[in-house]
Amino acid sequence: MKPTRVRILDAAEHLMRTIGLARTTTKEIARAAGCSEAALYKHFESKEELFVLVLQERLPPFGPLMAELEGGGPDGRDVEETLVEVARHAVAFYGSSFPIAASLFSDPALLRRHGEEMTRLDSGPHRPLDALTAYLREQRAAGRLRSDADPAAAAALLLGACFQRAFLHSFAGDRPPQGPAALPADTFAVTLVRTLLDGLR
């Protein structure tokens, strides 16, 4: 049998995907994991912490690349290669996390509590934006981007486009998405970055 922590994370991910974060309770997670709610709280402080750990441990990895960006970016890659890698990771991460997190917005009180807990855990959707902005700011200082380029706006454009693609895919359901969202993920990433860099270089 899997360790209790692993079973709890498995159950949390399954429930968050199938019934949404807003409707998932720690009691239901514990029941699905085959343990008591008290046992769940021995491993995790809250449902919000479980959500963060599901994002970190069960979805396509995004955090490690963001940490690399804050450290100056992956070694040996130029700006275009790095941004394409960011876009690929963002497409995969947002595509997997959007269906889980979307139900938060149906309950304003839950959304507020969730935001407060994300702040306490030093987590949240702003972290990739901050890391990418910091990376682009360093590239501008090094002369690799135009001196009047806006790193924050460029980061928002790149990650916002990836998030919109995830939204359009989720909204389409079984129907094929339309427009740029219909492009394969790799093609979308390359096209997006090259278009963005046309205005930054």
Side-chain angles (χ1 to χ4, degrees), residues 109-181:
L110 177 62
L111 179 61
R112 184 178 61 255
R113 291 196 307 273
H114 184 78
E116 291 167 354
E117 186 68 6
M118 292 300 97
T119 299
R120 189 185 71 78
L121 294 169
D122 193 26
S123 185
H126 66 285
R127 295 299 298 275
L129 186 61
D130 291 347
L132 183 54
T133 298
Y135 169 77
L136 291 172
R137 193 173 288 124
E138 289 181 10
Q139 300 309 304
R140 184 184 63 183
R144 298 185 189 101
L145 302 178
R146 285 171 36 183
S147 61
D148 62 346
D150 186 330
L157 286 167
L158 191 149
L159 295 178
C162 295
F163 187 84
Q164 185 192 45
R165 185 180 190 275
F167 167 77
L168 292 173
H169 273 259
S170 293
F171 186 78
D174 295 332
R175 294 172 287 113
Q178 302 297 311

Side-chain angles (χ1 to χ4, degrees), residues 19-157:
I19 65 174
L21 181 60
R23 293 175 56 200
T24 297
T25 65
T26 52
K27 183 179 289 187
E28 288 169 328
I29 293 170
R31 185 185 305 118
C35 68
S36 68
E37 200 170 2
L40 181 149
Y41 281 112
K42 287 181 182 177
H43 294 273
F44 307 98
E45 291 184 13
S46 63
K47 182 174 80 170
E48 287 76 17
E49 184 188 19
L50 271 166
F51 173 65
V52 170
L53 289 171
V54 165
L55 295 183
Q56 290 176 346
E57 298 184 19
R58 299 306 170 90
L59 300 187
F62 199 25
L65 179 58
M66 293 301 102
E68 279 189 79
L69 290 183
E70 290 175 327
D75 292 336
R77 290 184 184 163
D78 65 18
V79 177
E80 181 173 331
E81 290 172 322
T82 299
L83 293 183
V84 167
E85 191 68 10
V86 169
R88 285 181 178 134
H89 278 73
V91 163
F93 179 78
Y94 291 140
S96 295
S97 63
F98 186 86
I100 295 175
S103 67
L104 264 178
F105 295 89
S106 65
D107 186 334
L110 177 62
L111 179 61
R112 184 178 61 255
R113 291 196 307 273
H114 184 78
E116 291 167 354
E117 186 68 6
M118 292 300 97
T119 299
R120 189 185 71 78
L121 294 169
D122 193 26
S123 185
H126 66 285
R127 295 299 298 275
L129 186 61
D130 291 347
L132 183 54
T133 298
Y135 169 77
L136 291 172
R137 193 173 288 124
E138 289 181 10
Q139 300 309 304
R140 184 184 63 183
R144 298 185 189 101
L145 302 178
R146 285 171 36 183
S147 61
D148 62 346
D150 186 330
L157 286 167

Side-chain angles (χ1 to χ4, degrees), residues 6-18:
V6 174
R7 287 188 285 116
I8 292 170
L9 279 172
D10 286 345
E13 180 187 7
H14 174 73
L15 288 169
M16 289 173 186
R17 283 190 182 281
T18 54

